[in-house]
Amino acid sequence: MAWLRSLSRLSRFTSSFSSGIPPDRSPSSFSATTRFSGFCSGASTSNGYAGLGPTRPGLDKPRLVVLGTGWAGCRLMKGVDARLYDIVCVSPRNHMVFTPLLASTCVGTLEFRSVAEPIGRIQPAISTAPGSYFFLARCTAVDPDAHTVHCEVVMDQEGLENAKEPWKFKLSYDKLIIAAGAEASTFGIHGVKEHAIFLREVHHAQEIRRRLLLNLMLSDVPGISEDEKKRLLHCVVIGGGPTGVEFSGELSDFIIKDVHERYSHVKDYIHVTLIEANEILSSFDVRLRQYATKQLTKSGVRLMRGIVKDVRPEKVILNDGTEVPYGLLVWSTGVGPSSFIQSLELPKSPGGRIGVDDWLRVPSVQDVFAIGDCSGFLENTGKPTLPALAQVAERQGKYLASLLNQIAKAGGGYANAAANIQLGDPFVYRHLGSMATVGRYKALVDLRQSKEAKGLSLTGFISWFIWRSAYLTRVISWRNRFYVAINWLTTFVFGRDISRI
């Protein structure tokens, strides 16, 4: 496992340094008395937890620490020159998720590995370079004055179940990139986290697929009442944004093409309801929204307007008192700052994100940058907070990678060394357009920079073909592009895989 190999390398580095033998190109330890045993047990020594200490100019490369493996962090790591920096990534997952295609995995159109890109393939130096690492861990605190981050290993992995407490460690950084993303917004509604399933990670898609297939099989068991069948087979989606609409479209295709053929006994009971407080796909113009509404309705998706007041184990209660029973509840109402981002004592932009300047720096501290869904422009920049979209995060990651390479080449790669370096042009975001599929080989493509701007907007089969072609080219590796293309072809010829694994 990649994280275990990283810990093994760190063990050799720390042991060599603490024994007085300087390791080749290894980072120094926090103190000569700090041992890897303290790192593994999570117990602190008198000098703090073990970890990676400050780099030594002239002996070590500057260390770039990246928090997160989302679109922003991975695009940055892909673009950073590993000859200029040692790259250390800290994240609870060792892969990037191609989120635009995640809804397709819920119903078997795509397999889960087709949308997961391992970090070692995105930035090979993490797997091969002596000073670069991936740590399967969460960052718990940032100390900008000491240029360190505090982390703890993720404890829900194989082999760690019996540990008494998380293994804790510190990492010194020369440049810190906070790309920790955001978390699903629940708006404080009771029962959402306990009973709903989000759609942001691969394990969410896996849980949705297992629950959907389980309900299909349970509803066919002798003795199940008709009311219970209707409840089990009622799939409710909360949120009419692109994710909610695309999932509803994929689910309706699954019902029409696969359930009606393979679960004929219960085919008349299964249906999908999409609940939205306002208009679906609010970022699209009126014509495209009307087309999406028409297509979803034709596919059998019931559209309801309402605000969720309470979520209970088997029903959703709306603010007007309407009760909506469900067997599967998917929550897709947007994102907000995570508790970790909120806990950081850094300036915040409107909405609670980490505030950044025109060059994506956190201006109140040295050598800290923030990109992706966890960041937003400060009010004094005069720029609006950008939407939490994959294309925004990807563009920021690409820009910042180029900026960091420029800083290192100018001699500013080490801590507190970039104060007088000219940074060049600031980051400017230009929207390339929006796309969403609505099922039945139909999609929406809006290539305008805003709803008011002039430009090309399409609907129908041509849009669906553009949607698939665009996303296929955006998949990171050729390996996964091949997987996605083969999955689509297999599904078209043989139908979806309905195995509950």
Side-chain angles (χ1 to χ4, degrees), residues 19 165 300 382 482 495:
S19 63
E165 62 180 12
F482 179 76

Side-chain angles (χ1 to χ4, degrees), residues 372-418:
D373 295 351
C374 69
S375 68
F377 288 115
L378 291 167
E379 287 186 284
N380 59 17
T381 64
K383 295 182 177 180
T385 298
L386 297 175
L389 298 175
Q391 63 173 294
V392 174
E394 183 183 30
R395 211 78 54 76
Q396 288 181 331
K398 181 179 180 180
Y399 167 84
L400 188 54
S402 177
L403 181 62
L404 289 169
N405 290 339
Q406 172 190 330
I407 290 173
K409 290 175 182 178
Y414 293 100
N416 301 313

Side-chain angles (χ1 to χ4, degrees), residues 327-392:
L328 171 66
L329 178 63
V330 176
W331 193 270
S332 177
T333 58
V335 298
S338 66
S339 56
F340 166 65
I341 296 301
Q342 294 174 353
S343 71
L344 297 178
E345 295 182 0
L346 298 173
K348 299 297 195 298
S349 69
R353 301 182 184 186
I354 298 174
V356 296
D357 65 10
D358 292 333
W359 293 270
L360 307 180
R361 299 175 300 180
V362 180
S364 62
V365 294
Q366 287 287 323
D367 302 317
V368 179
F369 302 79
I371 54 177
D373 295 351
C374 69
S375 68
F377 288 115
L378 291 167
E379 287 186 284
N380 59 17
T381 64
K383 295 182 177 180
T385 298
L386 297 175
L389 298 175
Q391 63 173 294
V392 174

Side-chain angles (χ1 to χ4, degrees), residues 218-226 228-229:
L218 288 178
S219 63
D220 213 9
V221 173
I224 300 293
S225 66
E226 288 204 1
E228 183 63 6
K229 283 184 181 182

Side-chain angles (χ1 to χ4, degrees), residues 1-15 36-37 39-41 50-52 126 132-137 152-154 160 167-169 171:
M1 294 165 56
W3 68 271
L4 188 58
R5 290 195 298 271
S6 295
L7 295 186
S8 176
R9 284 192 285 156
L10 180 61
S11 172
R12 292 195 297 271
F13 291 155
T14 309
S15 298
F36 186 66
S37 58
F39 178 87
C40 289
S41 65
L52 300 179
I126 288 180
S132 295
Y133 302 88
F134 170 77
F135 293 121
L136 192 72
E152 62 180 31
V153 173
V154 174
L160 301 179
W167 303 344
K168 299 180 180 179
F169 60 99
L171 300 174

Side-chain angles (χ1 to χ4, degrees), residues 290-310:
Q290 290 175 343
Y291 179 84
T293 300
K294 178 181 177 182
Q295 290 300 318
L296 289 172
T297 303
K298 286 175 62 177
S299 299
V301 178
R302 178 189 176 197
L303 301 179
M304 289 183 64
R305 181 171 294 185
I307 299 174
V308 177
K309 179 182 178 181
D310 191 16

